């Protein structure tokens, strides 16, 4: 049973509702609001359906008029006529739609009843037809082996009907290009089995040339084995020679006082102590987070030069040819019209390191928003598609909530609690290094920061964080290795509360998204300590793997949570952004799949190399 059919504009004005006009029970919860938030605003409008609680929702658009048609029904019913009904309602309502009118309760009620009855009748008729066709007896045909229908000499038996199951023709003899019949070739058999061997003869050759010769085959096998033995012996000899050449020279462990044999490779800065620490803090200067120079593509300058060159080249082209290239005047866009432009956009996004799945979904969403839309005179389809994609990317990458951490820290300070940030991610992405960058940025805003060494798994992790704490002159809470990280984090937060620290930065062990024991430990740490911010640290170098990492991190945190209110990833810190040139697609993939904003971008090795994300610059780079 259909629960509700709703018609509203893209601006949010409800024009007609089946519940309001025809009467009916109100929907439990807000499934339509959830659809708008999760699909329509997130550029997932190309999805087939959406589920919320016990409801399933389907929708369609009239892009030319800016109308949205949504059908809501019980998820367990699997109504077959919903798509047909939505198409019929869109067609009929679009004919009576007037932009100045805000209510259609009287004008559309009877039309909808009729359309609903017709759609249900067609659905019942389809079910009956399927049942009738499904109940018909099916012919069971068994293929017989050709060898069984032939005698020992290869001919047919007298009582044989002459049927050949392979092609369905009866009493006909099929002739090959060399003049031999198929039955003559099928009569060649092995002596021990009644199995036919079909051999393709050479064109215009002797029929016996294609016969199966066991002796020849044996000789060929012997030759092949000898060649393989010789090749393997040569490969072994060359590999032995290479291993002898590439042997590593052993270190000499004698007592001779030689500078070349020095074993202490530690940084001399660590031996000079506090004197060097002061120099480090002074030398680093202001963090890039507080500068107006936000992150952008390195190739922006090249693009400006390219625009100047292209402008000169366009002048050379005739105005007549450029004007009428890809022009659609007062045409209604169909899917086939925009597919070439979308294909080019998808390829471009994938070359920028956007995951293939995300690029495909974005193009489908843009196609759904443009299909049926009218174009003005002298409007290019390619530019229209590019503009729609640009708007979609801006909506996705622009944060939907405040990402002002400094304001949140001061709010927590007023409540008398430290602001807790947990850094999570896979192995080797730079969690500890970028944690130190965030600490340096917070110190520049006169906030007291303490570190919690909760990576009790990786060797050297505590020492690494201790070095950062010593250089930044901030306290660190540590308990060594092989301890429960959740308990270490809890004690660190308690210590920070006693010392009245403003911010606690929690370092965690790197873990792959498929490692359930480590993911369980991370879920316990987050649920036990309830941090204010969970930051996922990811590399800007990853492509398709970014989708898998974030999806499984959120999935595991939800599945392994021991509390009813599940905590997922709140924000993203992208590292190694200075190594990717214009391959900025990982930012789009991560934000699209998680819905979390990019809050920091790491772009170097020093403490100041932390920036904000310039959304407009990223979109410009993606579409260039």
């Amino acid at each position: 049973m259909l629960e509700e059919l709703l018609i509203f504009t893209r601006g949010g004005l409800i024009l007609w509702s089946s519940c309001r006009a025809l009467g009916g029970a109100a929907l439990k919860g807000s499934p339509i609001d959830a659809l708008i938030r999760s699909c329509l605003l997130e550029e997932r409008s190309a999805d087939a359906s959406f589920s919320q609680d016990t409801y399933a929702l389907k929708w369609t658009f009239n892009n030319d008029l800016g109308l949205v048609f949504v059908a809501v029904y019980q998820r367990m019913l699997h109504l077959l006529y919903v798509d047909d009904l939505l198409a019929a309602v869109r067609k009929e309502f679009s004919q009576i739609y007037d932009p100045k009118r805000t209510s259609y309760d009287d004008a559309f009620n009877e039309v909808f009843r009729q359309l609903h009855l017709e759609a249900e009748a067609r659905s019942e008729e389809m079910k009956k037809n399927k049942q009738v066709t499904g109940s018909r007896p099916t012919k069971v045909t068994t293929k017989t082996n050709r060898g069984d229908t032939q005698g020992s000499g290869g001919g047919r038996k007298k009582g044989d009907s002459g049927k050949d199951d392979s092609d369905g023709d009866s009493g006909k003899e099929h002739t090959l290009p060399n003049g031999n019949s198929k039955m003559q070739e099928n009569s060649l058999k092995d002596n021990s089995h009644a199995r036919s061997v079909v051999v393709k003869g050479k064109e215009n050759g002797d029929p016996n040339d294609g016969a199966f010769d066991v002796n020849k085959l044996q000789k060929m096998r012997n030759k092949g084995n000898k060649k393989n033995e010789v090749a393997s012996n040569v490969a072994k000899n060359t590999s032995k020679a290479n291993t002898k050449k590439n042997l590593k020279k052993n270190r000499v462990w004698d007592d001779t006082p030689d500078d070349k044999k020095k074993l202490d490779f530690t940084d001399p800065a660590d031996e000079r102590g506090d004197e060097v620490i002061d120099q480090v803090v002074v030398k680093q200067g202001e963090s890039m987070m507080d500068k107006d120079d936000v992150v952008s593509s390195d190739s922006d300058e090249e693009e400006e030069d390219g625009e100047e060159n292209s402008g000169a080249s366009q002048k050379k082209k005739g105005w007549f040819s450029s004007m009428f290239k890809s022009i659609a005047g007062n045409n209604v866009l169909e899917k086939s019209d925009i597919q070439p432009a979308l294909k080019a956009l998808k390829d471009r996004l994938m070359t920028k390191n956007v995951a293939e799945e995300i690029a495909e979904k974005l193009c489908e969403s843009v196609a759904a928003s443009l299909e049926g839309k009218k174009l003005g005179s002298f409007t290019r389809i390619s530019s229209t598609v590019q503009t729609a994609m640009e708007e979609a990317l801006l909506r996705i990458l622009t944060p939907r909530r405040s990402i002002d951490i400094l304001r949140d820290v001061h709010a927590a300070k007023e409540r008398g609690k430290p602001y807790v940030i947990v850094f999570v991610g896979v192995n080797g992405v730079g969690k500890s290094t970028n944690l130190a960058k965030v600490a340096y940025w917070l110190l520049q805003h006169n906030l007291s920061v303490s570190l919690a060494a909760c990576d009790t798994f990786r060797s050297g992790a505590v020492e690494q964080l201790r070095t950062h704490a010593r250089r930044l002159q901030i306290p660190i809470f540590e308990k060594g290795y092989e301890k429960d990280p959740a308990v270490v984090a809890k004690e660190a937060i308690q210590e920070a509360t006693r010392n009245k620290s403003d911010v606690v930065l929690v370092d965690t062990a790197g873990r792959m998204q498929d490692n359930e024991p480590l993911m369980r430990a991370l879920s316990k740490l987050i649920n036990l300590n309830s941090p204010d911010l969970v930051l996922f640290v990811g590399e800007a170098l990853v492509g398709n793997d970014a989708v898998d990492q974030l999806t499984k991190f959120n999935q595991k945190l939800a599945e392994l949570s021991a509390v009813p209110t599940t905590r997922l990833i709140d924000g993203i810190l992208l590292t190694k952004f200075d190594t990717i040139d214009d391959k900025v697609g990982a930012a789009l993939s991560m934000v699209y799949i998680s819905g979390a904003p990019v809050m920091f971008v790491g772009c170097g090795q020093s403490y100041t190399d932390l920036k904000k994300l310039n959304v407009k610059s990223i979109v410009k780079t993606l579409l260039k």
Side-chain angles (χ1 to χ4, degrees):
M1 178 183 175
L2 190 71
E3 297 289 334
E4 183 174 11
L5 195 142
L6 189 69
I7 305 173
F8 58 93
T9 65
R10 287 188 180 272
L13 177 64
I14 298 176
L15 300 175
W16 188 84
S17 169
S18 62
C19 288
R20 186 178 66 187
L22 305 178
L27 299 176
K28 296 178 182 179
S30 303
I32 296 178
D33 291 343
L35 169 71
I36 294 171
R37 286 194 305 269
S38 302
C39 285
L40 304 187
L41 294 180
E42 291 293 324
E43 294 302 323
R44 293 182 173 88
S45 55
D47 294 348
S49 61
F50 174 76
S51 298
Q52 173 74 11
D53 298 331
T54 60
Y55 298 112
L57 293 86
K58 289 191 174 184
W59 60 92
T60 186
F61 303 106
N62 186 320
N63 292 310
D64 186 34
L65 301 177
L67 301 178
V68 184
F69 303 82
V70 180
V72 186
Y73 59 95
Q74 290 292 336
R75 188 165 52 181
M76 64 176 67
L77 295 181
H78 301 291
L79 299 182
L80 301 177
Y81 63 85
V82 173
D83 293 326
D84 188 17
L85 178 62
L86 280 172
V89 168
R90 179 181 62 181
K91 181 181 177 182
E92 294 295 332
F93 190 85
S94 299
Q95 293 176 358
I96 64 171
Y97 175 67
D98 182 4
K100 297 178 182 179
R101 190 172 178 179
T102 58
S103 178
Y104 293 83
D105 291 346
D106 298 331
F108 196 65
N109 292 353
E110 193 59 38
V111 176
F112 174 75
R113 285 196 189 95
Q114 187 65 28
L115 294 175
H116 193 193
L117 291 174
E118 290 176 359
E120 285 183 332
R122 283 194 294 271
S123 176
E124 290 296 328
E125 188 176 351
M126 287 173 61
K127 285 182 182 178
K128 290 179 182 177
N129 292 336
K130 284 182 180 179
Q131 290 175 357
V132 170
T133 55
S135 61
R136 287 177 182 172
T138 57
K139 263 187 192 177
V140 180
T141 58
T142 57
K143 291 189 177 181
T144 58
N145 195 353
R146 291 193 184 107
D148 296 337
T149 61
Q150 296 168 359
S152 57
R156 293 184 185 274
K157 293 184 180 179
K158 291 181 181 178
D160 197 349
S161 61
K163 289 183 181 179
D164 188 356
D165 288 330
S166 62
D167 53 17
D169 294 335
S170 61
K172 292 182 181 179
E173 187 169 312
H174 299 274
T175 306
L176 296 177
N178 62 354
N180 298 328
S181 67
K182 190 180 285 186
M183 293 307 301
Q184 286 175 342
E185 285 192 334
N186 288 344
S187 65
L188 298 170
K189 298 177 186 175
D190 195 345
N191 294 330
S192 59
H193 297 84
R195 190 178 69 185
S196 61
V197 179
V198 179
V199 180
K200 212 181 237 184
K202 296 180 181 177
E203 192 173 0
N204 299 325
D206 188 10
N208 296 324
D209 287 347
F212 183 81
D213 194 344
V214 179
N215 295 327
K216 280 186 180 180
L217 180 62
Q218 191 62 36
K219 288 178 182 178
M220 291 170 65
R221 283 179 179 170
N222 293 336
K223 286 182 181 180
N225 291 335
K226 287 179 182 179
K227 287 181 181 179
N228 291 335
E229 288 176 4
V230 172
S232 62
N233 291 333
V234 171
K236 286 179 183 177
N237 294 332
T238 54
S239 62
K240 285 180 182 178
N242 290 334
T243 52
K244 287 179 182 179
K245 289 179 184 178
N246 299 329
L247 284 176
K248 183 180 177 181
K249 293 181 180 180
N250 294 325
R251 187 184 292 275
V252 180
W253 297 95
D254 56 10
D255 296 326
T256 55
D258 190 357
D259 293 337
K260 294 181 180 178
K261 298 168 186 175
K262 181 179 72 170
L263 298 180
D264 187 6
F265 296 103
T266 57
D267 187 357
D270 294 338
E271 299 174 359
R272 293 198 293 271
D274 298 336
E275 180 183 345
V276 178
I277 294 173
D278 296 335
Q279 292 178 3
V280 169
V281 175
V282 171
K283 282 182 181 179
Q284 295 295 327
E286 186 182 359
S287 175
M288 294 182 183
M289 281 289 293
D290 302 317
K291 294 182 180 179
D292 294 333
D293 181 22
V294 289
V295 65
S296 61
S297 171
D298 295 336
S299 53
D300 282 347
E301 296 177 1
E302 297 175 6
E303 184 183 359
E304 291 175 2
D305 297 338
E307 286 177 356
E308 293 176 2
N309 296 333
S310 63
S313 62
Q314 283 177 0
K315 289 179 181 178
K316 294 179 182 178
K317 293 181 181 179
W319 65 272
F320 190 83
S321 60
S322 61
M323 187 194 306
F324 288 95
K325 183 180 178 182
S326 305
I327 286 180
N330 291 324
N331 285 341
V332 177
L333 277 179
E334 296 181 0
K335 199 166 187 178
S336 58
D337 299 328
I338 57 182
Q339 280 303 324
L342 285 175
K343 176 68 169 59
L345 271 180
K346 179 187 172 184
D347 294 341
R348 194 181 307 169
L349 289 174
M350 289 175 63
T351 58
K352 303 293 184 181
N353 217 16
V354 178
E356 183 180 2
E357 178 187 351
I358 305 301
E360 182 70 32
K361 287 184 177 180
L362 278 171
C363 290
E364 289 176 359
S365 179
V366 169
S369 66
L370 291 177
E371 191 175 354
K373 189 175 182 180
K374 279 187 180 179
L375 293 184
S377 300
F378 304 105
T379 304
R380 293 186 181 213
I381 294 175
S382 58
S383 62
T384 302
V385 172
Q386 176 132 346
T387 303
M389 179 64 78
E390 185 177 350
E391 292 172 355
L393 295 178
L394 282 171
R395 278 196 299 271
I396 293 168
L397 290 172
T398 303
R400 297 187 304 278
R401 59 178 178 81
S402 172
I403 57 173
D404 189 354
I405 293 179
L406 297 176
R407 187 193 66 179
D408 297 339
V409 170
H410 287 295
K413 190 177 180 180
E414 291 176 358
R415 297 194 301 267
K417 295 181 179 180
Y419 189 82
V420 182
I421 304 177
V422 175
F423 292 76
V424 303
V426 299
N427 310 73
V429 293
K431 289 185 295 299
S432 303
T433 303
N434 285 276
L435 178 146
K437 294 178 186 178
V438 174
Y440 182 80
W441 171 64
L442 293 170
L443 286 172
Q444 288 194 320
H445 288 272
N446 301 319
L447 296 171
S448 57
V449 182
S450 63
L451 307 182
C454 296
D455 185 354
T456 61
F457 182 77
R458 176 173 63 89
S459 300
V462 176
E463 287 79 6
Q464 180 186 5
L465 206 63
R466 192 188 300 156
T467 302
H468 286 304
R470 181 165 54 79
R471 287 178 174 272
L472 295 172
Q473 295 180 309
I474 55 178
I476 179 173
F477 186 89
E478 56 176 284
K479 285 287 187 179
Y481 295 98
E482 298 182 359
K483 301 292 190 299
D484 187 351
V487 176
V488 175
K490 186 175 182 180
E491 293 178 3
I493 295 170
Q494 292 172 352
E495 181 72 16
T497 306
R498 284 192 294 269
N499 297 333
K500 295 184 178 180
S501 294
D502 298 328
V503 184
V504 181
L505 304 180
V506 181
D507 186 29
T508 63
R511 65 205 76 212
M512 296 306 294
Q513 60 270 23
D514 298 318
N515 191 328
E516 186 162 332
L518 286 178
M519 290 302 299
R520 191 179 296 276
L522 179 63
S523 178
K524 179 184 176 183
L525 185 150
I526 293 174
N527 292 327
L528 183 64
N529 297 286
S530 300
D532 298 282
L533 184 65
V534 179
L535 271 183
F536 178 84
V537 185
E539 284 183 333
L541 302 167
V542 295
N544 289 321
D545 199 34
V547 176
D548 188 55
Q549 287 176 9
L550 269 166
T551 302
K552 289 189 176 176
F553 255 82
N554 272 333
Q555 181 182 346
K556 291 295 181 183
L557 288 176
E559 289 176 356
L560 303 174
S561 176
V563 295
T565 54
T566 304
R567 280 298 300 275
L568 302 178
I569 290 166
D570 301 317
I572 298 167
L573 194 158
L574 272 179
T575 66
K576 307 176 185 178
F577 212 77
D578 54 322
T579 64
I580 59 171
D581 193 26
D582 62 345
K583 304 292 189 293
V584 296
L588 176 64
S589 300
M590 289 183 177
V591 172
Y592 185 91
I593 204 67
S594 67
V598 176
M599 308 187 75
F600 300 100
V601 173
C603 52
Q605 297 297 320
S606 63
Y607 290 137
T608 59
D609 292 330
L610 194 70
K611 294 184 178 181
K612 297 176 184 177
L613 187 73
N614 188 342
V615 173
K616 291 183 179 179
S617 176
I618 295 298
V619 172
K620 189 178 180 182
T621 306
L622 285 170
L623 296 178
K624 188 176 62 178

